Amino acid sequence: MAAATATGVLLGIRFAVAAAWVVAAFCLTMACLGAGSVSRLRDESGSSTAVVGVLVFSTLLASGGAAAAMRATAVSDGILLSGARQPARVEVTATVAEEPHQVRYGGQWVVLTVNEVHRNGRTYRTRERAGMIVPRGRLPPSQPSGGSPTADTTRPSDPAAVPGPSGPTGSPRSSGSGSPRGGVEGRLAVGERLRVRASLGEARWSDSLGRQPPVVLRNPIIEGRAPPGGAALRISERVRDAARSRALASLTPERAGLLIGMALGDTSLLPAELERDFRAAGLTHLMAVSGANLAVVLAAGLWLAGAAGVGRRGLAVVGILLVVVLVVVTRWEPSVLRAGVMAGLVLLGVATGRGPGGRRALSLAVVVLLLADPSLAGALGFQLSVVATAGVLWLGPATASALPDRVPERIRKGVGMTLGAQATAVPALALTFGSVSLAGLPANLLGLPLAGGPMLLGVVAAATAPVAPWAATLACRLADPFLLALIAVARWAAGLPGGSVALAGPARAAPVGVVLLGLLAVARRRCSPYLPRRAELPTDVERTVKGRDDHRRRAPPGGAVTARGGGARDLGPPDLPGPGQDVRRHVR
């Protein structure tokens, strides 16, 4: 399902004929519904089920193509892109769409969602993305809460008075000195509304779906600024500011930046040298909030709710609320969205008693997110999150079972899950960055057990910082030993000889071949201890069991199972279900 949807998105980008994709998706949906009705009437026929399966996959492929084609058409026909080659300056009203990133030589790279464009005396309403670089110290004060971005009379009106990039640019990430890159002052928050006067230019790096803004605002002048219109965004920004301030007051700058990065995904306080060490050690995923953070928070929250006597449905409601809060506070990064949707599906299954397992939840989450926002297909964070989770779910148990039995089971599981995630993530990183971290496996085996504490304590510090600073300080101090150990692991792994290998040209595809060979070797030795082996029953025994228990779903009670006819000896191997267990599902 996920592969069919992703394939449709890629085809929709390449062949952006929106009308054809929409018609095909509609026709296939109707055919799928009709075939499903026929299949229910003829459930004994396997051919009808196969037809429905083919139609479902074709429908998802066409739906992904339709969503991508419509998005690509909207991006290419945008008002901003059409005026990018005109010398006239425009005035836009926009909202900050993503957490700003620090750039080289100071300043912030800000991605905006433009709502209105004022050009040549006319006003155009739109919904496009644009980027701009805001030089350090050039932000006007924010208007009172609930106000609109009005003009700031203290700012210069001459465009030349405000330095900025003279040409189109992309979204450069931070680099530079080893001091913390940014602070708690002079920041733009997600959701802030701006009124900007600038000229338009095409970006050097963009994509057809607009994930990377195709338009850059050159020499921008922020003439008005107002806080986020929604209460949720204002509260979340207050929480993030309080967490940053409390971490800096309680810890050294590098450990404060690491704690905030692991808890909230905010790396603005992280020194550049420490970020390079984590990248070389293959530990940057610890600072990208994803499933691990969500699992830690959910485990703690649901445990507390369960200890308070909350029932099954109440636990699902508490879990979904925690997921929503964490997604908003961490700024809905692609990896957080994947983990949030996946967790929501599992929690719904907990509430109803009929939910998808981990593998199905991952596939459904990918389908839902790609159809809602096809531009996620080009987001590296989303790609790495999906492939790493797939590696844990599919390759982890197989890799663990291939390890020697004399290794303790807990260690085999940890190594198997880590190898599964690394095996699927390394090819994507090699193709994108051209480098492979050979120190990633030992660094993750040592670092992952240490990461759970700072993740949970960082969230506790962020939640308590605005209302109980003493509790936030205590959480930061408790997390300090774990942070020290993680920094030591990262620096040790980054300093290993040959810990990182640079690849160029066709050599970037070499990790793909290595991983495939490893998967074949593991598949030959696969004998998973986590799944029950299917019982090999004689045909007459299976017919007898199905005939006797066709009218009931449960096995006879323990007292009815005797040593004579129909007793336990006649049911075959000893791994069959015992008294009171489901007979039919196990036999089939």
Side-chain angles (χ1 to χ4, degrees):
M1 294 171 61
T5 308
T7 303
V9 169
L10 297 177
L11 291 176
I13 299 173
R14 186 172 182 84
F15 306 103
V17 186
W21 284 109
V22 171
V23 171
F26 178 78
C27 294
L28 286 169
T29 301
M30 294 297 102
C32 186
L33 293 175
S37 302
V38 174
S39 177
R40 284 193 295 270
L41 296 176
R42 301 172 56 193
D43 56 357
E44 298 297 330
S45 173
S47 60
S48 59
T49 305
V51 170
V52 173
V54 172
L55 287 175
V56 167
F57 284 116
S58 302
T59 303
L60 291 175
L61 189 148
S63 300
M70 293 173 66
R71 176 66 63 87
T73 302
V75 170
S76 61
D77 295 341
I79 296 173
L80 294 177
L81 193 59
S82 63
R85 294 184 176 87
Q86 299 179 7
R89 292 176 68 82
V90 299
E91 185 178 284
V92 301
T93 302
T95 304
V96 180
E98 298 178 2
E99 192 72 15
H101 299 296
Q102 300 296 318
V103 297
R104 186 179 299 158
Y105 310 123
Q108 305 175 53
W109 168 255
V110 184
V111 177
L112 304 172
T113 298
V114 178
N115 304 313
E116 292 183 354
V117 180
H118 307 277
R119 184 175 63 188
N120 299 330
R122 300 183 62 181
T123 300
Y124 304 89
R125 292 189 177 275
T126 183
R127 189 74 176 175
E128 303 176 54
R129 288 164 66 93
M132 68 176 182
I133 292 181
V134 180
R136 181 179 297 172
R138 298 293 181 175
L139 283 176
S142 179
Q143 299 297 321
S145 177
S148 59
T150 56
D152 179 21
T153 57
T154 63
R155 296 194 53 76
S157 58
D158 183 10
V162 180
S166 59
T169 183
S171 58
R173 295 302 300 268
S174 57
S175 63
S177 66
S179 60
R181 299 159 303 153
V184 295
E185 301 295 337
R187 298 176 58 90
L188 281 172
V190 173
E192 282 198 52
R193 295 162 292 165
L194 306 176
R195 193 155 64 87
V196 183
R197 188 155 53 90
S199 57
L200 303 178
E202 292 187 32
R204 293 178 182 174
W205 298 281
S206 63
D207 61 88
S208 302
L209 298 177
R211 187 74 188 179
Q212 293 290 338
V215 175
V216 171
L217 304 181
R218 299 177 179 175
N219 300 314
I221 298 178
I222 301 178
E223 296 185 333
R225 178 185 175 193
L233 285 175
R234 289 198 299 271
I235 293 174
S236 68
E237 184 58 30
R238 191 173 305 150
V239 168
R240 292 169 68 92
D241 279 341
R244 283 189 289 259
S245 300
R246 185 52 47 188
L248 287 172
S250 306
L251 303 171
T252 61
E254 65 176 8
R255 298 202 286 275
L258 180 59
L259 179 64
I260 297 301
M262 295 181 66
L264 303 177
D266 181 2
T267 59
S268 60
L269 302 179
L270 197 68
E273 288 89 347
L274 187 59
E275 186 177 13
R276 284 195 293 268
D277 291 340
F278 269 76
R279 184 183 299 113
L283 294 174
T284 52
H285 62 89
L286 297 180
M287 292 172 290
V289 182
S290 60
N293 305 68
L294 202 59
V296 170
V297 174
L298 279 178
L302 294 180
W303 180 82
L304 291 175
V310 179
R312 186 177 68 180
R313 295 187 178 180
L315 288 176
V317 173
V318 171
I320 291 176
L321 290 177
L322 287 174
V323 170
V324 173
V325 170
L326 192 63
V327 168
V328 173
V329 172
T330 56
R331 300 299 190 236
W332 47 84
E333 291 290 330
S335 56
V336 181
L337 289 177
R338 191 276 311 161
V341 174
M342 195 172 167
L345 292 171
V346 174
L347 289 169
L348 287 176
V350 171
T352 60
R354 295 181 59 187
R359 298 177 181 181
R360 292 182 180 179
L362 175 61
S363 297
L364 289 173
V366 172
V367 170
V368 170
L369 290 173
L370 287 183
L371 292 180
D373 184 6
S375 66
L376 287 172
L380 180 62
F382 182 76
Q383 297 171 4
L384 292 177
S385 178
V386 171
V387 298
T389 306
V392 169
L393 294 175
W394 269 276
L395 303 183
T399 306
S401 65
L403 297 175
D405 294 337
R406 61 177 176 272
V407 179
E409 184 178 5
R410 185 180 298 272
I411 296 178
R412 283 193 287 119
K413 286 184 178 180
V415 174
M417 302 307 169
T418 303
L419 278 174
Q422 292 283 317
T424 50
V426 164
L429 291 172
L431 292 173
T432 303
F433 297 112
S435 62
V436 175
S437 176
L438 300 181
L441 179 60
N444 278 276
L445 290 176
L446 295 175
L448 287 178
L450 301 170
M455 287 178 183
L456 179 59
L457 292 171
V459 172
V460 171
T464 57
V467 294
W470 63 269
T473 301
L474 178 61
C476 292
R477 297 288 173 80
L478 291 175
D480 197 23
F482 298 96
L483 299 173
L484 278 171
L486 278 173
I487 292 173
V489 169
R491 287 176 173 164
W492 167 78
L496 290 176
S500 181
V501 178
L503 303 175
R508 292 190 174 192
V512 179
V514 174
V515 169
L516 289 177
L517 292 176
L519 293 180
L520 291 175
V522 170
R524 296 187 62 182
R525 299 186 57 186
R526 181 177 180 182
C527 181
S528 177
Y530 309 113
L531 299 176
R533 296 183 180 180
R534 182 169 300 179
E536 299 292 338
L537 294 180
T539 305
D540 55 345
V541 174
E542 183 177 2
R543 187 183 302 114
T544 302
V545 174
K546 291 173 65 176
R548 290 182 178 180
D549 297 315
D550 189 63
H551 64 284
R552 56 188 176 185
R553 297 290 296 176
R554 311 299 292 180
V561 179
T562 64
R564 298 200 176 186
R569 291 188 305 177
D570 299 326
L571 293 181
D575 60 348
L576 283 176
Q581 295 183 353
D582 193 335
V583 174
R584 178 181 300 177
R585 182 174 58 186
H586 191 88
V587 171
R588 288 185 177 178

